[in-house]
Amino acid sequence: MKKTYTIAVTTAKESIRQPMLVVLLLIGVVLLLIFPFIPYNTFGEDIKMVKDTGLALILVLSLFFAALTASNTIAEDIEHRTAVTLLSKPINRRQFIVGKFTGIILAVALIFLVLGVVFAAVLFYKVGYDARELSKQEPSMSERFEEVGQVMPGLVLTYFQVVVLAALSVAISTRLPMVVNVVLCFAIFFLGHLAPVLVQAAQNRPGEFMAGKVMLFTAQMAELVLPALEFFNVAPAVATGATIPIAYVLWNLVYCVLYSAVGFLLGFVLFADRDRG
């Protein structure tokens, strides 16, 4: 555990020092500060759009950072023979993978912390801004904090989603270069959300027998193998003001841990016979 902890802390520090992190944080902060002033033309429901777009922005930026960092800390370490130095010490490949993954999600947590604080401040301001724009009574502090608190479970579930994808990105990085890793991560992201929709569409398709069977089989395989990312997608519920139960968040935490373990196992298998340098 001590060796894994050391690798995790070192990876987190290296990730945080990357200029890319500062760039992504600046992009996120600037866009979040702009969102309240965009005319969404939703007839008084602009705050729902701010919630939805804010969660989507944080998700995309953190996922992009996780995929690039996994490539920088694993694929390049293997390519540049840095991994040889680590693995020549009494550190095994499992400790290397788990430590790298832990360091990456710690760095991703920093993104969520910074952008989450800005996001909360933006929502707090947006409630009053909309009231003034619509000539309504100035909202109370409790009403403002209620809107902010309502989006926090969605932020936590978004982080869980990035953790699952980061585990897969770490596994992919043991074999493939950065560009392929990023493309595959976003492909898994989109297919993970679309798989249930594709299954339903295939089941309801009255078309040709063979084509329908092939489409249904492919969609079901994608749904079975890929992570069920739609479980983490509560943006519509957050945008409409629905309450997300704590039990739902905890069950998703369990799923996040289990699927991350699947990512570890995949990484162990892919890295087991990989030449270190």
Side-chain angles (χ1 to χ4, degrees):
M1 289 296 295
K2 184 177 180 180
K3 297 169 186 175
T4 304
Y5 172 79
T6 303
I7 295 173
V9 172
T10 303
T11 302
K13 289 180 178 178
E14 291 175 352
S15 302
I16 292 171
R17 289 171 185 158
Q18 293 183 81
M20 176 184 60
L21 176 64
V22 178
V23 172
L24 292 177
L25 286 176
L26 285 176
I27 292 173
V29 170
V30 170
L31 290 178
L32 286 173
L33 293 177
I34 291 174
F35 284 164
F37 306 104
I38 297 176
Y40 294 99
N41 300 319
T42 56
F43 303 101
E45 301 292 338
D46 285 10
I47 192 167
K48 295 180 181 179
M49 292 299 298
V50 172
K51 290 178 180 179
D52 197 10
T53 53
L55 286 174
L57 174 67
I58 296 173
L59 170 60
V60 171
L61 292 179
S62 56
L63 176 56
F64 184 71
F65 174 79
L68 286 182
T69 305
S71 297
N72 289 335
T73 60
I74 297 177
E76 290 193 5
D77 277 1
I78 297 172
E79 183 69 24
H80 297 157
R81 302 178 63 86
T82 309
V84 175
T85 305
L86 280 175
L87 296 176
S88 62
K89 299 177 180 179
I91 296 176
N92 60 45
R93 297 184 182 222
R94 293 187 296 275
Q95 292 169 329
F96 178 79
I97 293 293
V98 175
K100 290 289 186 179
F101 166 76
T102 306
I104 290 169
I105 63 172
L106 287 175
V108 170
L110 177 63
I111 294 181
F112 272 82
L113 178 62
V114 174
L115 296 184
V117 170
V118 176
F119 189 32
V122 164
L123 290 176
F124 186 87
Y125 172 79
K126 180 65 175 175
V127 175
Y129 178 81
D130 280 3
R132 291 190 295 273
E133 287 291 305
L134 298 172
S135 300
K136 293 182 178 180
Q137 183 179 358
E138 185 72 15
S140 64
M141 294 293 287
S142 61
E143 291 173 332
R144 291 173 181 256
F145 280 116
E146 183 179 355
E147 290 287 352
V148 174
Q150 192 267 333
V151 83
M152 290 300 109
L155 199 61
V156 172
L157 290 171
T158 302
Y159 178 70
F160 291 166
Q161 184 174 176
V162 176
V163 169
V164 169
L165 291 167
L168 295 176
S169 179
V170 167
I172 295 169
S173 294
T174 60
R175 286 286 181 177
L176 299 174
M178 179 177 63
V179 175
V180 180
N181 185 12
V182 174
V183 172
L184 282 178
C185 282
F186 277 93
I188 293 170
F189 168 72
F190 287 114
L191 291 175
H193 282 284
L194 288 176
V197 179
L198 294 175
V199 170
Q200 185 176 4
Q203 289 174 339
N204 298 332
R205 180 179 177 180
E208 302 84 0
F209 177 81
M210 195 61 187
K213 287 291 185 180
V214 171
M215 180 178 176
L216 179 59
F217 175 77
T218 305
Q220 287 176 334
M221 284 297 296
E223 185 180 37
L224 178 65
V225 174
L226 298 177
L229 299 179
E230 197 61 26
F231 290 156
F232 303 106
N233 183 24
V234 292
V238 169
T240 55
T243 301
I244 301 172
I246 297 299
Y248 184 81
V249 177
L250 293 177
W251 276 115
N252 276 275
L253 173 60
V254 173
Y255 182 82
C256 172
V257 172
L258 292 176
Y259 206 95
S260 296
V262 172
F264 289 155
L265 293 175
L266 178 62
F268 297 159
V269 171
L270 293 175
F271 196 40
D273 59 347
R274 173 68 192 267
D275 186 4
R276 295 178 298 197

